[in-house]
Amino acid sequence: MDIELIVVTLNLIVLVFAYGVLNPTFSGRDLIKVLTQDLIALSVSLMVVGFYFANKQLSFTLLMVDVGWFWFTLLTFLALKTPLFLWYAKRWNIELRIHLKS
């Protein structure tokens, strides 16, 4: 299996678990909680990929550009997360404005 496919599959598994199980259970309609859990999901994905690919001289191809494991994981995670987040926000009627407390 190509290394790119391994990372994309891991990202998909993490995101499906986050948006299918964790966010509905723990975040609901709270945008800050959803974004916090997204950050945790990204951290998990980066840690797993880093554990396997750190200190290895591998290059990942992203849109015909060779990048390291960190950038490939981060960018593919964000690309996969964006449509899921928009779907979740629409499904749960999340207001996409952040009101900061004074």
Side-chain angles (χ1 to χ4, degrees), residues 25-41:
T25 304
F26 297 108
S27 298
R29 297 185 60 207
D30 189 341
L31 179 61
I32 299 297
K33 288 181 182 178
V34 171
L35 295 176
T36 301
Q37 290 199 13
D38 282 350
L39 186 61
I40 293 168

Side-chain angles (χ1 to χ4, degrees), residues 52-81:
Y52 285 108
F53 296 117
N55 298 325
K56 294 181 182 170
Q57 299 300 322
L58 297 173
S59 63
F60 294 79
T61 304
L62 183 66
L63 299 175
M64 299 184 300
V65 177
D66 288 338
V67 294
W69 65 266
F70 176 84
W71 292 109
F72 185 84
T73 305
L74 177 66
L75 294 174
T76 56
F77 187 92
L78 293 175
L80 294 169
K81 178 189 106 56

Side-chain angles (χ1 to χ4, degrees), residues 4 10 13 15 24 26 35 38 40 57 63 68 84-85 95 99:
E4 289 90 353
L10 172 69
I13 291 169
L15 284 167
F26 297 108
L35 295 176
D38 282 350
I40 293 168
Q57 299 300 322
L63 299 175
L84 277 173
F85 173 77
E95 185 177 340
H99 301 285

